[in-house]
Amino acid sequence: MTTAKRDTYTPETLLTVAVRVFNDRGYDGTSMEHLSKAAGISKSSIYHHVAGKEELLRRAVSRALDGLFGVLDEPGAVRGRSIERVEYVTRRTVEVLMAELPYVTLLLRVRGNTKTERWAMERRREFDQRVADLLKAAVADGDLRADLDIRLATRLLFGMVNSLVEWYRPQREGEADGAQVADTVVRMAFDGLRTGH
Amino acid sequence: MTTAKRDTYTPETLLTVAVRVFNDRGYDGTSMEHLSKAAGISKSSIYHHVAGKEELLRRAVSRALDGLFGVLDEPGAVRGRSIERVEYVTRRTVEVLMAELPYVTLLLRVRGNTKTERWAMERRREFDQRVADLLKAAVADGDLRADLDIRLATRLLFGMVNSLVEWYRPQREGEADGAQVADTVVRMAFDGLRTGH
C-alpha cells in the first residue's frame, strides 16, 4: 500500500502529474496504478476527478490543440499578406510549443491506439493542413519559392519546429530563451542560413 | 513452444529482424524472447550468432554511425569552401538517413540506459559537433549569417533532417524520392522559403 496523501488536487493540477507520467512512460504504458502512485492519492480519488486515463489524455492534448488553433485566430494570422501571416503563425507556434512544452510533447507522441489518440492525430493533421494552405497562398502571391514541393516543405518546417520537444530544456544553463528560438526558426526557415540574400 | 524454423540467418540478416523489433517495441522493451519469436528461431540459435541483444544494438547503430561519419570523409566534405562542404554534408546526411532508415531511426531513439546506448549518443553528439564546426567555419568565411546562434541553428537543422525518420515512408504512394527530399532540405535550410533572395 502506498500511503495516500490528502487529495487536494483539482482536475488541473492532477493533469500536470498525469502528463509528466504519460511523457515518461508513454500513454499506452501508463496504468491508473502508475497515476495513483505518481499523484500520491488512491485510484478512487482519481476517479473522483476524472472518468479515467483517457479523459486525462483528452484534457491534456486539448490544452495543446487549443493553444495551437488559438494562434490561427489571432489578428496576425488572419490579416495582411499570406507571407506575413505564415511567418506570424510559425513564430507563435514555436512560442505555444515552448509555453505548453509537456502538453505539446504528449500531443506529438500519441500513436492512434484509442479513439482520443486518433482524434488528436486528426486535429494535428488539420492544423498542419491550415499552415500548408497559408504556405500555398504565399507561393501564389509570389512571396515563397514555387520550386519546392509544399507538402514536403510543410513537413520539414514542422520537423524543425517539433524537434524542440526533443531538445529544448528551458531550465538548462545557457539555453536560448523563447523569443530567440522563435526568431531563429522563422529566419532560418524563411530566409535561410546563407548571407547575401 | 514456438515452432523454430531452420536457422539460416547470418549476423547481417538477423540484424534486419532485430532492428525492426527494436524500433517497434523500443530497445528497453525488447527481450531475447521477442527477438526469438520475431526471427522464428530459438534463443540459443540467436546466441550462436551474437552474444546478446546489446551486441545487436551495437552492430545496428554502428551501421548508422559508419554511414554518417563516412560522409565526413568524402571528397565533397573535405575540399572547397566551408559553405559548399556543409551543404554537401547536409545533402549526404539526408541521403544516408533515407538509405539506412531503420538503422538511423534506432540510433536517434536510443536513450542512454546501457553502455552501448551511451556510446551511441556520444558518437551522435560528435557527429553533430563536426557539422556545427563546419557551420562555424562558413560563418567565419562570411557565407553564413553571423546573427544566428550556431548551436541553435545546428539543432534546428538536425531537427529538420532527423524528422525524416518520423514521416518519410519510401513505400508510400506519391512519396518524394530521396534526391528530391535531400534537395528540398538543403535549399530550405540554406536559402530559405522566401523568393527574391
Side-chain angles (χ1 to χ4, degrees):
Chain A
M1 278 286 294
T2 34
T3 314
K5 68 177 181 186
R6 200 166 71 85
D7 175 13
T8 56
Y9 282 102
T10 62
E12 192 62 22
T13 55
L14 186 60
L15 201 57
T16 310
V17 177
V19 168
R20 179 166 45 77
V21 182
F22 290 158
N23 281 333
D24 283 351
R25 313 188 59 97
Y27 176 69
D28 287 340
T30 303
S31 66
M32 286 299 284
E33 188 66 30
H34 294 132
L35 293 175
S36 154
K37 275 189 183 152
I41 58 174
S42 67
K43 278 192 269 186
S44 63
S45 295
I46 294 181
Y47 284 120
H48 174 71
H49 295 293
V50 291
K53 74 168 192 165
E54 199 164 344
E55 185 182 335
L56 286 163
L57 178 71
R58 186 177 53 72
R59 284 174 187 251
V61 295
S62 292
R63 179 161 157 173
L65 287 163
D66 289 350
L68 293 170
F69 276 94
V71 167
L72 299 176
D73 294 328
E74 291 172 5
V78 292
R79 292 188 205 136
R81 281 183 85 82
S82 297
I83 175 73
E84 306 306 333
R85 293 167 60 195
V86 75
E87 287 197 5
Y88 177 86
V89 167
T90 303
R91 180 182 310 273
R92 291 285 298 127
T93 297
V94 173
E95 286 170 357
V96 167
L97 189 148
M98 288 185 293
E100 304 286 357
L101 198 56
Y103 299 91
V104 180
T105 301
L106 182 62
L107 174 66
L108 295 177
R109 288 187 184 164
V110 297
R111 281 291 166 262
N113 293 321
T114 61
K115 207 177 146 184
T116 300
E117 288 172 278
R118 285 188 293 274
W119 165 80
M121 289 173 78
E122 183 53 41
R123 293 280 286 157
R124 223 190 109 185
R125 271 193 292 270
E126 204 182 312
F127 182 81
D128 292 6
Q129 190 53 55
R130 295 277 296 274
V131 179
D133 289 345
L134 271 178
L135 285 165
K136 256 178 234 158
V139 171
D141 289 345
D143 291 327
L144 291 187
R145 17 200 315 178
D147 61 334
L148 298 184
D149 178 308
I150 283 292
R151 191 155 144 265
L152 199 52
T154 308
R155 281 180 175 162
L156 291 169
L157 179 62
F158 279 110
M160 186 195 268
V161 169
N162 295 343
S163 76
L164 281 162
V165 307
E166 302 302 331
W167 57 262
Y168 185 65
R169 298 291 170 266
Q171 274 79 31
R172 182 161 48 191
E173 172 95 7
E175 185 67 287
D177 67 24
Q180 196 190 350
V181 175
D183 202 52
T184 305
V185 168
V186 170
R187 285 197 277 170
M188 188 166 161
F190 292 95
D191 298 321
L193 291 170
R194 265 184 192 269
T195 51
H197 294 328
Chain B
M1 279 289 291
T2 35
T3 315
K5 68 176 182 186
R6 201 166 72 85
D7 175 13
T8 56
Y9 283 102
T10 61
E12 193 61 22
T13 56
L14 186 59
L15 200 58
T16 310
V17 176
V19 168
R20 180 165 46 77
V21 182
F22 290 157
N23 282 333
D24 283 351
R25 313 188 60 98
Y27 176 70
D28 286 340
T30 302
S31 65
M32 286 298 286
E33 188 66 32
H34 294 131
L35 292 175
S36 153
K37 274 190 182 151
I41 58 174
S42 67
K43 279 193 268 185
S44 62
S45 295
I46 294 181
Y47 285 120
H48 173 71
H49 295 292
V50 290
K53 75 168 190 163
E54 200 166 342
E55 184 182 335
L56 286 162
L57 178 70
R58 186 177 52 73
R59 283 173 187 251
V61 295
S62 291
R63 180 161 157 171
L65 288 163
D66 288 350
L68 292 170
F69 277 93
V71 167
L72 299 177
D73 294 328
E74 291 172 5
V78 291
R79 291 189 206 137
R81 278 182 88 80
S82 297
I83 174 71
E84 307 306 332
R85 292 166 60 192
V86 75
E87 288 198 4
Y88 178 86
V89 167
T90 303
R91 181 182 309 273
R92 291 285 297 130
T93 297
V94 173
E95 286 170 357
V96 166
L97 190 148
M98 289 186 293
E100 304 287 355
L101 199 56
Y103 298 90
V104 180
T105 301
L106 182 62
L107 174 67
L108 295 177
R109 289 187 184 162
V110 296
R111 281 292 166 263
N113 293 319
T114 60
K115 207 177 147 187
T116 300
E117 287 173 276
R118 285 188 294 274
W119 165 78
M121 289 174 78
E122 183 53 42
R123 293 280 288 159
R124 223 191 108 185
R125 272 193 293 270
E126 201 182 314
F127 182 80
D128 292 7
Q129 191 52 55
R130 296 276 298 271
V131 178
D133 289 344
L134 271 178
L135 286 165
K136 257 179 236 158
V139 171
D141 290 345
D143 292 327
L144 291 187
R145 9 193 328 170
D147 62 334
L148 299 183
D149 178 308
I150 282 292
R151 190 154 146 265
L152 200 51
T154 307
R155 279 177 174 167
L156 290 168
L157 179 62
F158 279 110
M160 187 195 266
V161 169
N162 294 345
S163 76
L164 281 161
V165 307
E166 302 301 330
W167 58 262
Y168 185 65
R169 297 293 170 264
Q171 273 80 31
R172 182 161 50 191
E173 173 94 9
E175 185 67 284
D177 67 25
Q180 195 190 351
V181 174
D183 202 53
T184 305
V185 168
V186 171
R187 285 198 276 170
M188 188 166 160
F190 293 94
D191 298 322
L193 291 169
R194 268 186 190 266
T195 50
H197 294 327

